[in-house]
Amino acid sequence: MQIKEHGYIFSDSKDLLKIDSIHNLSTESYWAKNIPLERVKILIENSLCFGIYKEDQQVGFARWITDKATFAWLCDVYVENEHRGKGLSKKLMSFMIFHPDLQGLRRYQLATLDAHGLYEQFGFKALQNPERQMGIVVADVYQAESSQ
């Protein structure tokens, strides 16, 4: 799938992804700080990925971890600083949420520090019964990998 709007291209083609640009998100994001390039390659390989492009530059990225049958987890959403404030995140969300591989699922989930307003526009809300959610969090895992 691909759409063009106001000089930007939104695409789900992995062939267009610029791995180095995606890897650079580690310098700006709180969720992937110091992620090794090899990890980025693996996450792309195993996810449903979306990019935003302006001319030949990748300016945005997001991915869904999904079984394409029951569940999808949205993560690693970003738009480069100089392209923010133009509605690109909203357009990307609209593009992704209607993707054929994400229809008919029983749960769509994400975690965010500061973008609740964006995601609420697309039907996301605080989880019911959050006490049922569990996880294992390994703090600074990429820091440990890079020092080995």
Side-chain angles (χ1 to χ4, degrees), residues 134-139:
M134 297 180 70
I136 297 172
V137 177
V138 182

Side-chain angles (χ1 to χ4, degrees), residues 14 17 19 38-50 61-68 71-73 75-76:
K14 287 186 181 181
L17 295 174
I19 295 172
E38 287 306 311
R39 288 279 174 161
V40 173
K41 291 176 183 176
I42 294 167
L43 71 84
I44 289 170
E45 182 179 321
N46 293 297
S47 300
L48 179 59
C49 299
F50 296 82
F61 178 75
R63 69 187 178 106
W64 289 90
I65 302 167
T66 181
D67 61 9
K68 300 180 183 178
F71 179 81
W73 178 274
C75 54
D76 297 343

Side-chain angles (χ1 to χ4, degrees), residues 15-117:
D15 293 335
L16 296 178
L17 295 174
K18 300 189 182 315
I19 295 172
D20 288 335
S21 294
I22 296 165
H23 182 245
N24 284 338
L25 74 87
S26 67
T27 64
E28 296 183 23
S29 73
Y30 63 87
W31 62 87
K33 193 146 187 76
N34 299 316
I35 189 170
L37 181 60
E38 287 306 311
R39 288 279 174 161
V40 173
K41 291 176 183 176
I42 294 167
L43 71 84
I44 289 170
E45 182 179 321
N46 293 297
S47 300
L48 179 59
C49 299
F50 296 82
I52 306 172
Y53 307 90
K54 179 78 172 181
E55 296 160 6
D56 65 345
Q57 179 186 11
Q58 182 161 1
V59 301
F61 178 75
R63 69 187 178 106
W64 289 90
I65 302 167
T66 181
D67 61 9
K68 300 180 183 178
T70 63
F71 179 81
W73 178 274
L74 177 61
C75 54
D76 297 343
V77 180
Y78 83 97
V79 174
E80 294 287 351
N81 284 333
E82 61 269 19
H83 297 275
R84 292 181 185 163
K86 299 177 181 181
L88 298 178
S89 295
K90 282 187 194 179
K91 188 66 173 181
L92 180 61
M93 284 299 300
S94 295
F95 181 63
M96 293 187 305
I97 206 80
F98 295 108
H99 192 276
D101 288 346
L102 298 173
Q103 302 310 299
L105 307 182
R106 71 173 180 237
R107 182 176 295 253
Y108 304 80
Q109 203 163 328
L110 61 83
T112 184
L113 178 66
D114 55 7
H116 297 78

